[in-house]
Amino acid sequence: MDKQTTHFGYEEVPVEEKAGRVEQVFDSVARRYDIMNDLMSMGVHRFWKRVVMERSGVRRGHTVLDLAGGTGDLTAKFVERVGPTGRVVLADINASMLQVGRDRLMDRGIGAQVEIVQADAQALPFPDNTFDCITIAFGLRNVTDKDAALASMTRVLKPGGRLLILEFSKPVNAVFEKVYDQYSFHVLPRIGKWVANDADSYRYLAESIRMHPDQPTLKAMMENAGLERVEYTNMTGGVVALHRGIKF
């Protein structure tokens, strides 16, 4: 793969095409995204996100960026944590996902407390040293230039601020990995076809997980971006990993 191309799942595509291809995927799945998350993970994604909240260190008065926050489930939890003196920004590059997030936050009665921003993780439109905490859950693998995104996130963190990346990763057990592969490439697209009438998008999502950096590689990328005390926690046998780093 040269500098002019990148991965879209297992396919090699021109760099300038990836963002548009990813946008098409999430335009297609936006309205069924939360239902699919429950079905795909058998509800376990809710546990993974609870761990994010526990490790975030967010408290009243903090400023939080929920990046690639889509339908806003983490955003809603952060609104409760920061209280009326805090600030929560829901950002996503995809307008369809943001619309779903906006609608659901309004339904919960907290839409007015959230700033909603359409933004590219590779070039965040915020001043330096803005946020006490940034989370990106299941979004980094879809970013074309992950190093640029990590640098951008580090830039807008306050000194002492935390970046938490929740992402599908590499299972630590070889037998479990084979079962997981069978599920991802055979069962998942069928669920996508049944629920969202879109097998191809969920096949891409499975492929994008396999192309994402493994746990030690992502840890090194975060350190290269300037974060310190970087650590990761495997969950569900490494199917998902939570990486956390601090800006000093």
Side-chain angles (χ1 to χ4, degrees):
M1 185 177 66
D2 62 33
K3 293 181 179 180
Q4 284 72 47
T5 62
T6 189
H7 295 293
F8 177 77
Y10 289 163
E11 185 180 354
E12 189 174 319
V13 300
V15 166
E16 63 272 14
E17 286 186 13
K18 179 170 180 176
R21 298 277 292 272
V22 171
E23 182 177 16
Q24 290 174 0
V25 168
F26 285 93
D27 282 346
S28 174
V29 304
R31 291 288 166 185
R32 298 279 183 170
Y33 186 78
D34 286 342
I35 294 172
M36 285 297 300
N37 275 352
D38 279 328
L39 288 172
M40 288 188 302
S41 70
M42 292 172 282
V44 179
H45 74 99
R46 299 176 188 276
F47 164 75
W48 298 333
K49 289 171 181 174
R50 281 202 300 272
V51 176
V52 172
M53 297 301 300
E54 291 168 2
R55 301 285 177 86
S56 70
V58 169
R59 57 185 185 272
R60 293 180 72 81
H62 271 185
T63 300
V64 179
L65 172 62
D66 182 15
L67 184 58
T71 56
D73 50 352
L74 276 177
T75 296
K77 297 180 188 301
F78 281 124
V79 169
E80 295 175 6
R81 285 283 184 99
V82 304
T85 60
R87 175 190 178 200
V88 180
V89 178
L90 168 61
D92 201 295
I93 197 171
N94 184 271
S96 298
M97 294 290 286
L98 279 179
Q99 184 60 55
V100 173
R102 180 185 290 110
D103 291 347
R104 294 190 178 170
L105 293 170
M106 293 298 289
D107 289 344
R108 295 186 185 198
I110 58 174
Q113 299 168 251
V114 177
E115 296 175 42
I116 296 180
V117 178
Q118 187 170 3
D120 184 344
Q122 299 167 135
L124 292 170
F126 306 107
D128 295 359
N129 308 319
T130 296
F131 297 100
D132 295 289
C133 180
I134 299 174
T135 59
I136 179 167
F138 307 118
L140 185 62
R141 73 179 186 280
N142 298 309
V143 175
T144 303
D145 189 337
K146 295 174 180 59
D147 289 316
L150 291 169
S152 185
M153 287 183 259
T154 302
R155 177 184 64 79
V156 301
L157 271 178
K158 294 178 182 178
R162 301 180 181 190
L163 170 62
L164 289 93
I165 301 172
L166 181 67
E167 189 54 88
F168 291 107
S169 201
K170 183 175 177 58
V172 295
N173 179 279
V175 174
F176 182 50
E177 185 174 17
K178 290 181 180 178
V179 174
Y180 179 51
D181 281 345
Q182 288 293 314
Y183 172 77
S184 297
F185 291 106
H186 298 284
V187 178
L188 181 55
R190 292 179 184 176
I191 296 175
K193 178 66 175 176
W194 172 50
V195 176
N197 196 31
D198 187 352
D200 289 342
S201 290
Y202 285 92
R203 189 172 293 108
Y204 157 73
L205 293 175
E207 293 175 359
S208 70
I209 292 167
R210 300 315 186 279
M211 301 306 296
H212 186 67
D214 64 14
Q215 293 92 321
T217 303
L218 181 55
K219 178 178 184 287
M221 291 169 68
M222 293 173 69
E223 291 169 341
N224 289 339
L227 295 165
E228 299 183 30
R229 291 170 57 184
V230 179
E231 58 186 14
Y232 62 85
T233 302
N234 287 320
M235 294 183 282
T236 316
V239 166
V240 162
L242 174 62
H243 285 69
R244 184 179 67 171
I246 301 173
K247 177 179 176 178
F248 285 99

